[in-house]
Amino acid sequence: MEPRTAVACARARMPVLWLGLALIIAKLVAGDHLGAPWPEVLTALGGTVFVVGMALYLRIGTVRGEPVPLDAPVSGRWLALNSPAGKVPSHGVHAYGQTYALDVVHDPTDRPRPAFGWWPPARRAEHFPAFGRPVLAPADGTVVRVHDRERDHWSRNSWLALPYLLVEASLRELLGPGRILGNHLVIDIGDGRYVVMAHLRRRSVRVAAGDPVIAGQRLASCGNSGNSTEPHLHFQVMDHPRILFAAGLPFRFSRYRTDDGVRGGVPRGGQAFIAPSGVDSAAG
């Protein structure tokens, strides 16, 4: 899709979806009190607008272009999940600027992260090695948004917790993007590009809106806030400071190490990699 068209889709995504819902609700609340043909008009129009909004929300709006070069926002040994190196959109939807989003979990060799399974149904965030790990600025820029009030909840990484996770995710969607991202930072890195780092640890953010940052600077700690199954970092680049109206942009890390050697790009889903300060050593 051409960049201008994809960006237009991103801007229209949530307003169109909300308009469709508003028309459907209007039909349910007042439809019987309106004369013909308004009940039928509201039903047809509301359904059509809602379907268009859902199409924009889920699958329409991929911006193509040269990846934005960045430093990795973590150090040490991590595991890539939901990576745009394998599929786009990486998280299944274009909404909230997530087209090229990447999730990473800390996976040190000396402390394996708890595996997904049946028992226990939930664990404290402290049981995961990612919890409290430094989150670093991937480029020079200026902080434009800080949200740091959400609690770090227990994990949802078990089969028994999945039904709860689905219900919880739906409620978070209704409450707005802040409840989905949890504690997060938005950084203006110039040229109309913005970095989002989400699911941060409560009260761990060290900067405020308006502060300048430099690449490699510690900004916060990894947490388990928002719509998160376990402590991890959600990372994405977008073209607008507000995720409701943002289109996701491709990016690449300048340098990280895998079993195949030092390289640049984005790690594949399921691929372990060693980033920044850990590139030149095997330490986790």
Side-chain angles (χ1 to χ4, degrees):
M1 179 176 288
E2 290 297 321
R4 289 184 181 179
T5 304
V7 169
C9 289
R11 302 286 186 268
R13 183 173 291 130
M14 299 311 293
V16 170
L17 193 59
W18 288 335
L19 176 59
L21 285 172
L23 291 170
I24 292 171
I25 292 172
K27 163 59 173 65
L28 294 175
V29 173
D32 293 338
H33 302 287
L34 300 174
W38 289 109
E40 292 77 12
V41 169
L42 288 175
T43 299
L45 187 58
T48 300
V49 172
F50 181 76
V51 168
V52 171
M54 285 302 298
L56 291 169
Y57 181 93
L58 293 172
R59 304 299 299 178
I60 301 174
T62 304
V63 175
R64 310 291 183 186
E66 284 297 314
V68 179
L70 299 169
D71 293 339
V74 292
S75 64
R77 188 177 188 273
W78 292 72
L79 188 68
L81 302 174
N82 298 319
S83 171
K87 65 174 182 176
V88 175
S90 58
H91 287 57
V93 299
H94 288 290
Y96 306 124
Q98 295 185 95
T99 301
Y100 297 96
L102 173 71
D103 291 334
V104 294
V105 294
H106 189 42
D107 192 34
T109 54
D110 60 346
R111 186 190 170 192
R113 52 187 268 266
F116 185 94
W118 285 99
W119 198 263
R123 295 179 173 89
R124 292 185 180 275
E126 293 84 355
H127 292 179
F128 293 81
F131 189 69
R133 289 288 299 180
V135 173
L136 312 174
D140 297 348
T142 304
V143 178
V144 296
R145 178 174 172 79
V146 174
H147 184 74
D148 197 26
R149 301 188 302 271
E150 306 296 322
R151 67 182 180 87
D152 292 285
H153 54 70
W154 287 42
S155 71
R156 313 282 191 253
N157 69 328
S158 73
W159 291 109
L160 295 175
L162 277 182
Y164 179 84
L165 174 66
L166 295 174
V167 174
E168 180 185 46
S170 299
L171 292 175
R172 289 184 183 280
E173 187 82 27
L174 293 174
L175 293 172
R179 300 299 185 185
I180 297 171
L181 296 177
N183 302 317
H184 63 277
L185 284 167
V186 180
I187 302 173
D188 181 352
I189 59 172
D191 297 325
R193 302 170 301 186
Y194 301 83
V195 165
V196 178
M197 293 180 284
H199 309 313
L200 305 175
R201 185 175 183 176
R202 187 180 190 184
R203 305 301 184 196
S204 72
V205 177
R206 300 183 173 191
V207 292
D211 287 351
V213 299
I214 59 174
Q217 176 182 342
R218 180 167 181 172
L219 304 179
S221 299
C222 186
N224 196 44
S225 57
N227 192 34
S228 173
T229 57
E230 67 175 273
H232 74 285
L233 178 66
H234 175 99
F235 182 88
Q236 66 187 50
V237 181
M238 54 193 194
D239 73 334
H240 194 280
R242 299 188 66 85
I243 66 171
L244 278 177
F245 308 107
L249 303 177
F251 66 90
R252 68 186 306 274
F253 295 143
S254 301
R255 189 167 178 256
Y256 61 90
R257 194 176 82 190
T258 67
D259 292 340
D260 299 325
V262 177
R263 60 177 60 226
V266 180
R268 302 185 307 273
Q271 184 177 42
F273 68 99
I274 299 175
S277 64
V279 166
D280 298 317
S281 70

